[in-house]
Every structure is written in structure tokens, then in C-alpha cells.
Amino acid sequence: MSRSEQIKILLVDDRPENLLAYRAILSELDLDLRFASSGEEALKSVLVNDFAVMLLDVNMPGIDGFETASLIRGRKHSAHTPIIFLTAFPDEVHAARGYAHGAVDYLQTPIVPEVLRAKVKVFVDLFRMTEQIKRQGEERLAFDHERMRRNAAEEANSRLRFLARVTEVVGRTLDYDLTARDLVRLTVPTLGDHAVVARWNEAAGDEWHVVQAVATDGLVSVAELTSIDPLPTELADAIRQSQSQQSPTACRPFQAAPGDSGPRLIILQLAGQKSTFAVLGITREPAAPPFDADDLTLAEALASRASMALENANLYKGLERADRQKNEFLSMLAHELRNPLAPIRTAVDVLRLKGEGHPEIEWAREIISRQTSHLVRLVDDLLDVSRITGGKIRLDLEVLDAAAVVSAAVETSRPLIEESGHQMSASLPEEPLWVRCDRVRLAQVLSNLLNNAAKYTQPGGLIRLEVDRSELHAVFRVSDNGIGISAEMLPKVFDLFSQSERSIDRSQGGLGVGLTVVKRLVEMHGGRVEVASNGPGTGSEFTVRLPVLEAPPDGCVVTDSPSENRSPESPLRVLVVDDNADAAESLAWLLKHRNHKVGTAHDGRRAVQLAQEFRPQVVVLDLGLPELDGYEVARQLRKSEATRGALLIALSGYGQQEHRRRSSEAGFDYHFVKPLDFAALQRILVESHDRHRGELAPVGSD
């Protein structure tokens, strides 16, 4: 046994020979013997050591044995250390005095070795047992403390996992109702037996939207309520009180209702940046333990996360509502703009027919025509953005040679390019380059890029359109030597309403939506669009990449039919119906000029009456009519024997898929969007002689 592990014994005697004798007697017990020759030395040793027993001589100079024992007993750490007095003069007085000072035994010198060893051994064994019990107690206490720390750590980890789960679940959706349902479902039964998220509508008085989760027999049920009255009275009253005391700045515990053993109700306000918008209530049944401080802390953390998630849901709902209102406004704006544009464009066609040979009239006509076309493009851009962002555009895919689409795009953009005096070149591959695309929309993409190049290039500039193949893609490049794009602007060119910097005296026209439309349409085709520029004054290049096909599928008809530009072989009876008198009369004039017989009406009821007398072969019918709208007029015309076989052409400021579907269901053969393209109408009138009505193209063609 090492010296540090040996049990210590203190031997105090002023005579060295006695100390030597005690050492000899106790040496076989394997003890750590410490010696002191006076009371003062003994006291110093006791201050720094723990002894199993002390052998203390009574008669010592200075502080005698009795006084030394008294001082030892006065120290708390050694108050119970056994003391054996040693004396050569035993008597009852000395013995009584020794026991009074805390002695456990009294030995007479000379010492009998066996007796001394036996007595010391008893106290040593007792000390050893005491130390063992003490160690076991300390180990048990340390074990209990460790278990408590482990339980506390596990509880803390459990709460952290719960909060992490809450953050994950309530953050995965921006729907307020789903978020509220997830919140109460997670809260029960982890934190309580009943959880409620209650939101009030100040504008509607005492109207509430309540989502609650209740744990019953181990099962959790979630329900929605329109009032807080069905809730337990205590919970409902606390929610009302919280509503009346709402704070716009923080999410705080409102009031914990105390019970006999502690609170069983927690109310927390759910606050956003500006105000408190809802209340989270959590209750526990009487059989469950009451809420403690840790529960309240966890509930506050839960409410904080819930506040952020629910406010995000509220903000998103507001954004959706604003976006819907914006789209509705754009649609209405486009409709209202198209109504006056229709008679203007028709009047331009009239001027074109009557103004030949009059330079000033031709000059005025060309100005009106260009500006009308510009307004039409602006309206179309607004509607395209609204349709694309709303997911309302559907592609009519077919397999085409890219050259056919390029031809249509160049033809559309040619007036703007020629007006600016630009030089344009186009480069096409020698072999057909097959792509699956929507003919109209892909042509719109290329036309928008050509128009963009024309607008941002100085008069007399160079514009180039190149089409080729690169591995698995058909590549369309539109480049110019115009004003270029700065490095700061390059990442933003496809953003909505984004345009290069320009001054008031150099307006390029447009709304900054054309490139947004390009990007969305290209992505809908499964492709991508890129832009490159070396900076201001260096021009720019836009590249469109679309998946390429090796060859058109068997049996696939790939044509690019030339536009018909001839008049019908014989005049037709055409009924024009529009509540805009200018639009109706100007279109009627153009049709009469083509030798057709034309009737006009400005409301739905008059149109139905006139049709019975006039028996039209073609009806050009505005949808937004007073009294009877165009849909109802079409249905009545289809029911009448006199007009059942007439060609019905819808004319409207709305061109979305929903409006075209309704037109088809009402019996229309075509759906045109204002302002009417008279050349397209001419082609339809020619087709009315070449086909039977049942074989005409479906509604949706312009």
C-alpha cells in the first residue's frame, strides 16, 4: 500500500523515547505514523491531516494533553476524531477530566503492546469503514448528480428537437391555415392536451378563425371553428382578454391561470412587425403536471417561431391578392385599350383604300398605323406578362423547320427595323433544322429580340440573325452594334420592367417586359436564353437554345402555308355587331368596299332580331355587348334555323385561353382579339367559300 493510501495515526508525546516505543509497537499495522512532541505541533498537524485515531500524552509542557484535546475538539473537521489519552498517573479525576475533553479511552504507561495495537486497530478499522461508506455516499451522490445532468441534457435536447421540428414543419408552406393546423398538431401532446390558434377579424366585428388540436385517449384531433365560444370558458375568456390587451411589439406570455398545484393555461400573443394578429393558447388537464418555468420558456420559443411562420403566410397571401388584382387590372386595361384601337386600325385601312395618290393623307395614315401598331405591342406585352406569370399560357406544339419561324419573326419586325434605317442580315442552315415549338410563340420570341435590337441601336445600325445547330440544340443568335449593356445591367435584363439606363430625350419605347416574356417562353419550350455584351457602346448578343430533333416524326405534317390574299368569288352577307359605333361602322365600310352586303347592330337583342331578317352568312360579333352578351347571342344564332350555319367570329379585348374556351362552347368558329387584323378577316371570308362550316379551323386561331 502506498504511503498516500495508508491510514494516518497521530502520536503526541514530549518524550522521544516514548514516541520511538510507539513506533515499534504499531509498525506491524502498516500505518502512516505521524509524531508531535508538543500540543502546538499536534494542532498544526491536525489542521492539514485527517487521522483515524490520536494518542495524546496528558503531561506535556506548554499546552497539556487535556487543553490540546479541547482545541482539537473545537475544530469542526476533527471534532469527532477518536482520542486515546496516555498517562503514567491514572486516577479517577484524571480519567473523568479526559473523558470530559472527548477521550474515547485512557491507557496507563508503560503501554502493553498487544493492548495498544488492539485498540488502535479497532479505531483504524472503524475509520476505514467510515471512509468506505463516505466514498460510497460520494459516488452515489456523484452518480445521482450525473443522472440529473443527463436527464436535464436529454430534456433540453428533446426540447431543441421539438423546436427544430416546429421550425421545419411550419416553414414548409406559406398557407396560413395549413401552418396553423401543423402548429397545433405539433403542440399537442408535446406541450399540452389542448392547443388553439385564434385569429380575429377586426373589420368583421367579433368574427374569429380558430384552429384547435385536442388530445383524447391518446388520439389527437384537429378542427377549425368560426367562434371561440365552443372553447372551455377559462380558455375563451383568456383569449378575449389577450385580444383586448394586445401589444404590437412583442410576443409575450399573457397570463398563466394558477391552480392549486400550479398553472395549467398559457396564453401567448402571436405578433408581427406591426401588430398582434392572433393568440396561441395551450392548456393541460388536471391529471397532468402543471406548467413550470421550462415549459413557459419552450412555449415562448414556440410562439416566436409560429409568429414568423404565420406572418410570412399572411404576407404571402397579401402578395398573391395583389398579384391577382394586378393581373385583373392588366387584363381590364388591355381590354379597354383595345376597344378604341379597333376602330383606329380599321380607319387606317379605310385611309389606305381612299388615300392613294394623296401624299399628305398617306403620310398621316402611316403615322397612325405605326403608332397604333406600337400601342398594340404594348398591350400584348402587358397581357403576355400577366398570362405567363399566372400560368395561363399553353403552348400549341408542332414540329417545324426553324426557317419557317424565322421568316414569320422577320416579317413582324421588318417595319420597325426599316423605320430606323437599320441594315439586317439573316443566316440560315442549308439543311432543315427541326424543332418542336409553338409557331406563334417562338416567332414572338425572335421578333421581340429583333425589336429590342432595333430600339437600342442607333439609326443605320447593323442587326444580324443567325440560326445554326450546336450538338443537341438549335441556336438562334440576334446581335447588334447598338448601345450595349453595362456589366451591372447584364444580370437584370430579363427582370420584369427592367430597361437599360436612358434619358428623357432618348426614350426607346416599351415597358421593359419584352425580354421577360422571351425568357419565360423559351423556358416553356425547354430551352434557355443568354445575353452577352462587352459594355456600353459595344452592342449586344442574345442567344436562344432549343432542343433539336433529328427529323420530323413519321406522318407529321410540317407546312408553312402562304397567307391568302384574295377576295371571295361572290359577295357575302356579313352582320357586324359592336356596341362601339365607330368600330362597327368603320369595319362595315371596309367590308362594303370589298363588295360584301353588310348589316350593323349595337346591342345583343337588336343583333338577334336583325339576323332573322338579314340571314347573314358571316357574323362578326363583339363579346362585350349590353343586354345580351356575345356568348348568349351566339347561342341563340346557333339555335335559329336562319343562322344555324353562319360563320361566327368572336371579337373581344380578351384573348386568354378561358375566353377562347367559352367562345368555342358558345358556338363561335373563330376568336379574334381587338384590334381586328382586317387581312386575317379577309382570309377567313375566303375560307368560308372553300370549306363547309364543320371543317373550319377551331376557335383559338387568330
Side-chain angles (χ1 to χ4, degrees):
M1 180 181 298
S2 66
R3 183 172 178 81
S4 61
E5 295 175 345
Q6 289 178 323
I7 297 175
K8 297 182 180 67
I9 301 297
L10 180 60
L11 305 171
V12 185
D13 200 311
D14 61 327
R15 299 175 65 180
E17 62 272 18
N18 289 343
L19 294 177
L20 184 59
Y22 301 150
R23 179 194 296 271
I25 294 171
L26 299 175
S27 61
E28 63 182 62
L29 294 181
D30 193 22
L31 300 173
D32 181 4
L33 302 178
R34 302 294 176 92
F35 303 96
S37 58
S38 65
E40 290 84 351
E41 288 186 19
L43 292 174
K44 291 179 181 179
S45 187
V46 168
L47 289 176
V48 295
N49 294 285
D50 290 331
F51 296 105
V53 63
M54 299 180 192
L55 302 179
L56 187 57
D57 184 23
V58 173
N59 297 312
M60 290 185 299
I63 302 176
D64 65 13
F66 296 129
E67 191 174 354
T68 301
S70 179
L71 292 172
I72 290 173
R73 284 284 183 257
R75 181 174 175 268
K76 182 179 180 181
H77 191 67
S78 59
H80 302 288
T81 302
I83 298 176
I84 301 176
F85 281 116
L86 305 173
T87 181
F89 308 99
D91 57 42
E92 293 182 1
V93 175
H94 280 81
R97 188 179 176 189
Y99 289 125
H101 284 85
V104 295
D105 207 344
Y106 210 100
L107 294 179
Q108 182 181 356
T109 58
I111 299 298
V112 178
E114 291 79 5
V115 173
L116 179 59
R117 280 196 296 267
K119 288 183 178 296
V120 169
K121 189 175 184 303
V122 169
F123 289 112
V124 167
D125 291 341
L126 179 61
F127 181 82
R128 185 179 287 112
M129 293 175 59
T130 302
E131 287 297 308
Q132 184 177 0
I133 293 172
K134 183 179 178 181
R135 283 196 304 271
Q136 290 176 346
E138 291 175 348
E139 291 174 355
R140 180 65 180 178
L141 184 61
F143 175 78
D144 290 342
H145 286 168
E146 179 62 26
R147 183 176 60 183
M148 292 174 62
R149 285 194 296 269
R150 185 169 56 251
N151 291 341
E154 290 177 354
E155 181 69 19
N157 289 336
S158 176
R159 293 173 186 270
L160 289 175
R161 286 194 298 270
F162 169 70
L163 291 176
R165 176 63 175 161
V166 169
T167 302
E168 174 191 359
V169 172
V170 301
R172 66 188 178 189
T173 177
L174 287 172
D175 183 279
Y176 181 94
D177 293 335
L178 289 178
T179 301
R181 292 176 70 89
D182 287 339
L183 176 63
V184 295
R185 186 183 292 111
L186 287 170
T187 305
V188 175
T190 301
L191 197 53
D193 301 301
H194 188 182
V196 171
V197 172
R199 178 180 62 180
W200 59 87
N201 185 350
E202 295 180 358
D206 196 29
E207 181 178 317
W208 290 84
H209 177 253
V210 179
V211 180
Q212 69 168 353
V214 181
T216 305
D217 297 330
L219 299 177
V220 178
S221 59
V222 179
E224 297 186 21
L225 307 174
T226 57
S227 170
I228 62 174
D229 293 334
L231 299 176
T233 303
E234 185 181 33
L235 178 57
D237 291 344
I239 291 175
R240 288 192 182 94
Q241 189 177 357
S242 177
Q243 174 199 3
S244 65
Q245 299 180 1
Q246 59 175 303
S247 166
T249 59
C251 172
R252 301 181 180 276
F254 171 66
Q255 177 68 40
D260 294 338
S261 58
R264 299 185 180 278
L265 166 62
I266 294 177
I267 294 292
L268 290 155
Q269 295 174 347
L270 304 181
Q273 294 181 352
K274 297 182 179 179
S275 65
T276 299
F277 56 84
V279 170
L280 172 63
I282 309 171
T283 66
R284 285 184 178 176
E285 296 295 333
F291 293 112
D292 57 21
D294 289 338
D295 293 327
L296 181 58
T297 301
L298 182 62
E300 287 178 318
L302 171 67
S304 177
R305 286 160 172 77
S307 294
M308 289 187 288
L310 292 175
E311 184 184 30
N312 287 341
N314 283 332
L315 292 174
Y316 181 74
K317 187 175 183 180
L319 289 175
E320 278 191 322
R321 181 168 57 251
D323 185 64
R324 184 171 60 253
Q325 292 172 344
K326 179 261 297 180
N327 288 336
E328 292 172 355
F329 169 76
L330 290 178
S331 296
M332 182 62 68
L333 175 65
H335 178 266
E336 293 303 319
L337 288 175
R338 279 174 167 166
N339 277 329
L341 285 174
I344 292 174
R345 171 168 279 184
T346 306
V348 169
D349 290 332
V350 172
L351 288 174
R352 183 174 287 109
L353 293 173
K354 300 296 290 182
E356 295 179 358
H358 296 78
E360 292 182 352
I361 293 179
E362 291 183 5
W363 171 79
R365 182 197 68 210
E366 290 303 320
I367 289 177
I368 298 172
S369 178
R370 285 196 301 271
Q371 296 305 316
T372 301
S373 298
H374 182 60
L375 283 174
V376 170
R377 285 199 302 271
L378 293 180
V379 171
D380 287 341
D381 282 348
L382 283 174
L383 278 181
D384 281 337
V385 169
S386 176
R387 293 167 185 166
I388 291 175
T389 56
K392 297 180 180 179
I393 281 188
R394 297 292 181 270
L395 299 182
D396 184 12
L397 297 176
E398 56 182 325
V399 177
L400 295 173
D401 181 2
V405 181
V406 169
S407 176
V410 171
E411 188 64 29
T412 301
S413 300
R414 189 180 300 280
L416 180 60
I417 294 173
E418 292 179 349
E419 177 186 346
S420 301
H422 296 318
Q423 299 179 37
M424 178 182 171
S425 63
S427 173
L428 299 174
E430 296 181 359
E431 299 295 329
L433 191 60
W434 304 106
V435 291
R436 185 181 301 277
C437 65
D438 184 309
R439 177 196 302 260
V440 174
R441 291 302 181 182
L442 183 54
Q444 179 184 359
V445 166
L446 299 178
S447 176
N448 277 7
L449 294 177
L450 290 170
N451 291 343
N452 193 72
K455 288 191 297 182
Y456 289 96
T457 299
Q458 298 85 349
L462 302 176
I463 299 174
R464 182 170 181 79
L465 172 60
E466 299 175 279
V467 183
D468 58 20
R469 175 170 179 164
S470 175
E471 297 180 350
L472 300 178
H473 293 92
V475 182
F476 304 80
R477 290 187 179 88
V478 177
S479 58
D480 61 68
N481 63 344
I483 66 174
I485 306 172
S486 66
E488 295 78 12
M489 192 64 193
L490 272 176
K492 306 175 184 177
V493 295
F494 296 109
D495 294 347
L496 189 59
F497 304 124
S498 177
Q499 293 178 316
S500 293
E501 212 174 294
R502 63 194 186 194
S503 61
I504 294 177
D505 63 344
R506 181 168 171 73
S507 174
Q508 310 299 338
L511 300 171
V513 300
L515 293 181
T516 302
V517 172
V518 166
K519 184 174 186 293
R520 301 289 177 86
L521 289 176
V522 169
E523 290 173 348
M524 290 176 68
H525 280 83
R528 68 180 188 274
V529 59
E530 302 163 346
V531 60
S533 176
N534 292 326
T538 63
S540 58
E541 180 178 273
F542 288 83
T543 304
V544 174
R545 300 178 187 276
L546 297 181
V548 71
L549 300 177
E550 296 300 331
D554 294 339
C556 177
V557 179
V558 185
T559 61
D560 187 27
S561 301
S563 300
E564 295 287 350
N565 191 24
R566 58 188 178 88
S567 299
E569 296 177 358
S570 60
L572 296 171
R573 292 188 305 278
V574 182
L575 176 60
V576 178
V577 186
D578 199 318
D579 61 329
N580 186 321
D582 289 341
E585 297 303 328
S586 57
L587 178 58
W589 190 95
L590 284 175
L591 291 169
K592 289 176 182 177
H593 187 77
R594 296 287 184 176
N595 297 322
H596 298 297
K597 296 180 180 180
V598 184
T600 58
H602 303 309
D603 63 71
R605 295 191 186 280
R606 175 58 182 158
V608 174
Q609 295 172 357
L610 184 59
Q612 303 305 309
E613 306 167 4
F614 188 58
R615 302 177 70 86
Q617 297 165 289
V618 178
V619 180
V620 181
L621 181 56
D622 182 27
L623 295 179
L625 296 173
E627 299 188 30
L628 290 181
D629 63 23
Y631 298 112
E632 181 58 30
V633 171
R635 283 189 283 267
Q636 293 194 21
L637 294 180
R638 287 297 181 220
K639 292 178 181 178
S640 172
E641 182 68 29
T643 55
R644 183 174 300 159
L647 184 72
L648 300 187
I649 300 173
L651 191 60
S652 174
Y654 295 110
Q656 289 92 329
Q657 190 65 29
E658 172 65 17
H659 300 102
R660 295 179 185 274
R661 181 188 61 78
R662 291 184 61 192
S663 297
S664 177
E665 292 175 351
F668 283 98
D669 299 292
Y670 290 88
H671 184 118
F672 278 90
V673 177
K674 295 179 180 179
L676 176 65
D677 183 345
F678 188 72
L681 177 61
Q682 274 292 97
R683 291 195 295 271
I684 298 303
L685 297 181
V686 170
E687 288 180 359
S688 69
H689 281 75
D690 298 341
R691 308 180 188 180
H692 296 294
R693 178 188 167 277
E695 298 172 345
L696 289 173
V699 170
S701 303
D702 280 352

